[in-house]
Amino acid sequence: MPRSARTPRAARLAGATAVALAAALALTACGSSGSGTAGPAKVVQQKADSPYEGTVLGKHFDKPDLQLTDTSGQPYDLRQKTGGRTTLLFFGYTSCPDVCPTTMGDIGVAMKKLTPEERQKVDVVFVSTDPQRDTPQVLRAWLDSMGSDFIGLTGDLAKVKTAAKALGILIEDPVTNADGTVTSTHGAQVLAFLPADDKAHLLYLSGTEVKTFEHDLPLLAKGVAA
């Protein structure tokens, strides 16, 4: 089985990100060089007057301008297809044995607690960081175990990295290890975009409990302000 993104190096990266967020310092775009990175965005811990349990973002990120391929093999324009809809966005890969299936699985459990009407108002989008192995067919089979209506996108990794970078999420090129396994290092944040402005208002870190998603999803479905 391919190795998880949580190699020692990845663990350090994820740990540093979590510490920075927990300290409400900044959500900073990552890149291979010092140029062209997005500016730091203030991250605000849960506000006393916020109805949400997720972390409220001080800067509201625009939904990425991203065109990839969905699990039916058709072109998918993220902004166009999810415009005016609550959207949960997560970057990861299907061979990851821990954080990706855990995160998506927890969201899937919480989504099942919604009413049919609420569920129809929420798009859960999984963008592959390992497109060479995550074909549309592979993505669909993997996502179906968590949510048959979850949206899976795959395609040009350069586009994926650019979209993630604009959100302050680290993605590195997949690495094939000596034993043939693959490591895909990526940020494990889930961003929630509200329908009123199509901007990310909330953040959920790796390890967020199911009960947090269960609490927040009905509010997100209604488009309640953060």
Side-chain angles (χ1 to χ4, degrees):
M1 176 182 291
R3 292 164 58 194
S4 160
R6 299 191 68 81
T7 58
R9 181 187 180 197
R12 288 195 300 272
L13 288 168
T17 300
V19 168
L21 288 169
L25 296 177
L27 178 65
T28 305
C30 300
S32 58
S33 68
S35 62
T37 57
K42 294 294 183 182
V43 176
V44 181
Q45 286 297 85
Q46 179 60 46
K47 298 187 299 183
D49 60 346
S50 174
Y52 292 95
E53 293 184 357
T55 300
V56 178
L57 293 171
K59 174 183 177 180
H60 302 154
F61 290 91
D62 290 328
K63 191 174 291 181
D65 183 11
L66 185 60
Q67 296 84 39
L68 294 171
T69 301
D70 66 17
T71 55
S72 66
Q74 298 301 308
Y76 191 98
D77 185 313
L78 181 65
R79 282 186 178 175
Q80 183 182 69
K81 294 287 190 179
T82 65
R85 294 177 55 79
T86 294
T87 306
L88 298 186
L89 180 64
F90 182 77
F91 295 85
Y93 67 120
T94 65
S95 298
C96 171
D98 44 37
V99 67
C100 298
T102 299
T103 299
M104 295 300 291
D106 287 348
I107 293 173
V109 169
M111 285 286 286
K112 290 177 181 177
K113 299 294 181 68
L114 298 178
T115 67
E117 289 184 355
E118 289 172 335
R119 190 180 178 99
Q120 289 176 3
K121 296 178 180 178
V122 180
D123 289 328
V124 179
V125 182
F126 179 87
V127 179
S128 175
T129 61
D130 184 20
Q132 184 174 348
R133 279 154 286 274
D134 287 344
T135 64
Q137 296 78 12
V138 168
L139 268 180
R140 186 71 269 152
W142 187 78
L143 287 172
D144 278 348
S145 65
M146 303 158 197
S148 60
D149 54 354
F150 284 6
I151 299 162
L153 301 180
T154 188
D156 188 340
L157 183 58
K159 289 183 179 180
V160 173
K161 291 171 70 175
T162 297
K165 180 179 175 181
L167 298 171
I169 296 175
L170 167 68
I171 293 177
E172 295 184 352
D173 292 339
V175 175
T176 301
N177 305 297
D179 60 359
T181 60
V182 175
T183 299
S184 175
T185 300
H186 60 88
Q189 305 96 317
V190 176
L191 288 173
F193 296 80
L194 291 176
D197 59 5
D198 283 330
K199 294 179 183 290
H201 288 252
L202 293 154
L203 174 82
Y204 301 91
L205 292 173
S206 172
T208 296
E209 296 183 0
V210 174
K211 64 181 182 181
T212 296
F213 288 118
E214 290 177 345
H215 176 275
D216 284 8
L217 276 171
L219 300 174
L220 289 166
K222 294 179 176 67
V224 175

